[in-house]
């Protein structure tokens, strides 16, 4: 569904496509409401569940574990049965999960079943997110010519961080003082956009499946991905990067809350600093990305992340130091994450874009394992070792990109699709 975009209007010409505009609006609003509660789950559970840090980290990380298999399956299904069906399942399902979060927190908080149910719901949230977010990227890519896609991917990332800048300060009140209210707000917004996408996509090509001659079975899609060495390397590097980066949004909250009297409030400030820095650093990051190849842009981001975390092991633990850490990590984030989306789009063969974007959610393995791994480090060692481990993960990500990603990755047509 490649809708031509009229010339003129600069980068913002992409918003003349209604589907792109609504998808961008949903990106901002749904990320904002998610950040009313998701970043504070570690603190929330530590106050309501009597469990060691690594168990709480495991519960928090289950949302990312749930998205692993679901992301790949949703991508294959989007190519086979149509993007609209997969999109709506993810949206309506996420709305239902937040409603169940509210009911569990209201009626079962003091019961033995609470942590188990919370873990199951967090896994369900990850699964539903994996049905929704990758498909929105495919929809925007299909709606725009190739030269416009890097712009929309970067704008999407900026909007995500605008939402993160606003969400945590509000979440410091709603997510901690009144967690149930945050769940209700989040569920209501997901439901509203579920209805909006249902209306907007009626009778469109988004509901159409791939032609039978171009379909691949689940096993066939796995073989295409398995044969793509560049994609494998890119995914592994993102798992390692995510393993390091997720400590900022998970175990850093525990470190900060223990280290300062106003730790919860200061952690919300750090998340806001991260989001504002990502927005402010977007122009220089874009200029760098235009001068460098995708490979070198991602390597620069990984190298910066590694250097900052390793250096932080040897400086005094202070609020000023943490702010500097978050700003520099934000620069690394801006260089790496949007560029990865551009590379995935370039690598994806025709008819398999949903499969590739869905499989790229395998990077969430790092986000899923990270909170538990970081919690285990904090349980047995001090915070310096946590920052050292973050730096080493980023260094390993740099090495993987160096060994596997070509300077100018191109689309890999893959083997001929087998009849299904």
């Amino acid at each position: 569904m490649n809708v031509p975009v009229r010339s003129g209007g600069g980068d913002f010409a992409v918003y003349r496509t209604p589907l792109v505009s609504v998808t961008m609006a949903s990106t901002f609003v749904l990320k904002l409401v998610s950040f009313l509660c998701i970043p504070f789950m570690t603190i929330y559970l530590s106050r309501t569940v009597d469990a060691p840090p690594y168990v709480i980290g495991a519960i928090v990380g289950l949302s990312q574990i749930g998205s692993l298999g679901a992301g790949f399956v949703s991508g294959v299904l989007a190519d086979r049965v149509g993007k609209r069906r997969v999109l709506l399942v993810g949206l309506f399902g996420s709305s239902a999960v937040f409603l169940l979060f509210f009911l569990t927190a209201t009626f079962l908080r003091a019961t033995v079943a609470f942590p188990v149910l919370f873990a199951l719901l967090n896994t369900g949230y990850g699964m539903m997110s994996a049905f929704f977010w990758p498909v929105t990227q495919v929809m925007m890519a299909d709606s725009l010519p190739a030269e416009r896609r890097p712009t929309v991917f970067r704008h999407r990332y900026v909007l995500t961080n605008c939402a993160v800048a606003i969400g945590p300060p509000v979440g410091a009140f709603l997510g901690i003082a009144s967690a149930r209210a945050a769940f209700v707000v989040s569920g209501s917004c997901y439901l509203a956009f579920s209805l909006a996408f249902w209306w907007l996509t009626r009778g469109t090509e988004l509901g159409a499946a791939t032609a039978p001659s171009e379909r691949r079975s689940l096993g066939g899609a796995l073989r295409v991905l398995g044969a793509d060495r560049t994609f494998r390397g890119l995914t592994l590097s993102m798992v390692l990067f995510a393993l390091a980066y997720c400590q900022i949004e998970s175990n850093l909250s525990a470190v900060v809350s223990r280290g300062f009297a106003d730790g919860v409030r200061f952690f919300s400030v750090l998340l806001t600093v991260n989001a504002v820095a990502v927005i402010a650093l977007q122009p220089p990051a874009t200029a760098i990305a235009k001068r460098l190849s995708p490979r070198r842009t991602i390597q620069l981001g990984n190298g910066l992340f590694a250097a900052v975390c390793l250096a932080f092991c040897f400086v005094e633990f202070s609020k000023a130091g943490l702010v500097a850490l978050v700003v520099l990590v934000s620069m690394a984030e801006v260089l790496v994450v949007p560029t990865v989306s551009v590379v995935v789009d370039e690598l994806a063969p025709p008819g398999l874009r949903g499969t590739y974007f869905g499989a790229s959610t395998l990077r969430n393995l790092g986000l899923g394992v990270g909170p538990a791994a970081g919690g285990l480090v904090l349980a047995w060692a001090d915070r310096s070792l946590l920052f050292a481990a973050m730096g080493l993960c980023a260094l390993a990500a740099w090495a993987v990109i160096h060994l596997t990603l070509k300077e100018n990755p191109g689309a890999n047509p893959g083997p001929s699709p087998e009849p299904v």
Side-chain angles (χ1 to χ4, degrees):
M1 194 175 103
N2 209 333
V3 179
V5 179
R6 289 175 293 171
S7 60
D11 287 347
F12 292 95
V14 295
Y15 296 102
R16 293 171 181 165
T17 305
L19 187 60
V20 172
S21 299
V22 174
T23 302
M24 287 297 207
S26 71
T27 296
F28 175 74
V29 175
L30 297 183
K31 286 292 185 183
L32 187 151
V33 297
S34 294
F35 269 78
L36 294 179
C37 43
I38 298 301
F40 298 95
M41 278 191 177
T42 300
I43 299 173
Y44 176 72
L45 289 172
S46 67
R47 294 180 174 180
T48 56
V49 177
D50 184 17
Y54 58 88
V55 172
I56 292 175
I59 294 175
V60 172
L62 281 173
S63 64
Q64 304 302 334
I65 297 297
S67 70
L68 288 177
F72 174 68
V73 172
S74 71
V76 175
L77 287 176
D79 289 331
R80 287 177 60 86
V81 305
K83 303 174 188 66
R84 184 175 186 264
R85 293 184 180 92
V86 176
L87 174 75
L88 294 180
V89 166
L91 281 169
F92 281 110
S94 296
S95 178
V97 166
F98 276 110
L99 173 61
L100 292 172
F101 266 131
F102 168 74
L103 294 175
T104 301
T106 302
F107 299 108
L108 300 172
R109 180 174 176 176
T111 66
V112 177
F114 174 75
V116 176
L117 291 173
F118 204 93
L120 291 174
L121 288 173
N122 206 27
T123 305
Y125 172 69
M127 294 175 65
M128 292 300 100
S129 295
F131 270 64
F132 167 54
W133 292 113
V135 174
T136 61
Q137 291 180 285
V138 178
M139 285 165 43
M140 290 191 296
D142 286 348
S143 300
L144 296 168
E147 65 272 14
R148 295 286 190 179
R149 293 170 192 166
T151 297
V152 82
F153 287 138
R154 290 196 173 275
H155 285 191
R156 180 180 183 271
Y157 198 64
V158 170
L159 281 176
T160 297
N161 284 278
C162 286
V164 175
I166 300 171
V170 178
F173 175 75
L174 291 179
I176 300 300
S178 181
R180 292 175 298 174
F183 294 140
V184 171
V185 171
S186 298
S188 299
C189 289
Y190 269 95
L191 179 60
F193 274 101
S194 300
L195 297 173
F197 275 107
W198 172 78
W199 179 269
L200 182 65
T201 58
R202 291 182 310 158
T204 66
E205 294 178 13
L206 291 173
T210 304
S213 61
E214 298 178 1
R215 291 181 191 173
R216 286 181 170 89
S217 65
L218 185 62
L222 279 171
R223 284 191 289 274
V224 173
L225 293 171
D228 194 331
R229 179 175 179 268
T230 303
F231 182 79
R232 294 200 313 269
L234 181 69
T235 302
L236 176 58
S237 75
M238 283 307 296
V239 168
L240 292 166
F241 183 83
L243 184 64
Y245 180 80
C246 73
Q247 307 305 325
I248 300 295
E249 295 179 349
S250 59
N251 289 299
L252 185 62
S253 66
V255 171
V256 172
S257 64
R258 294 171 189 169
F260 304 100
D262 59 343
V264 173
R265 183 177 299 176
F266 182 59
F267 175 64
S268 71
V269 171
L270 287 177
L271 289 179
T272 302
V273 167
N274 170 238
V276 172
V278 166
I279 298 165
L281 294 171
Q282 194 66 221
T286 301
I288 291 171
K290 288 180 178 179
R291 284 179 169 270
L292 301 179
S293 66
R295 174 178 181 264
R296 292 183 179 180
T297 301
I298 296 173
Q299 280 190 299
L300 178 61
N302 284 326
L304 176 61
F305 194 107
V308 170
C309 291
L310 292 173
F312 199 75
C313 298
F314 305 101
V315 301
E316 182 183 358
F317 185 75
S318 64
K319 289 185 176 181
L322 285 168
V323 170
L325 169 77
V326 168
V327 170
L328 292 172
V329 163
S330 299
M331 184 62 181
E333 178 188 355
V334 172
L335 290 170
V336 172
V337 180
T339 308
V340 168
S341 294
V342 174
V343 175
V344 172
D345 181 62
E346 291 177 345
L347 290 172
L352 279 179
R353 188 173 281 124
T355 299
Y356 266 67
F357 274 104
S360 69
T361 61
L362 289 173
R363 72 187 74 169
N364 291 344
L365 177 62
L367 299 178
V369 173
L376 192 60
V377 170
L378 290 176
W380 293 98
D382 62 13
R383 55 181 174 253
S384 295
L385 186 58
L386 177 66
F387 291 114
M390 292 165 62
L392 291 175
C393 284
L395 194 60
W398 181 94
V400 171
I401 290 295
H402 178 73
L403 293 172
T404 60
L405 190 62
K406 301 175 183 177
E407 284 290 346
N408 296 297
N412 174 14
S416 301
E418 75 273 16
V420 182

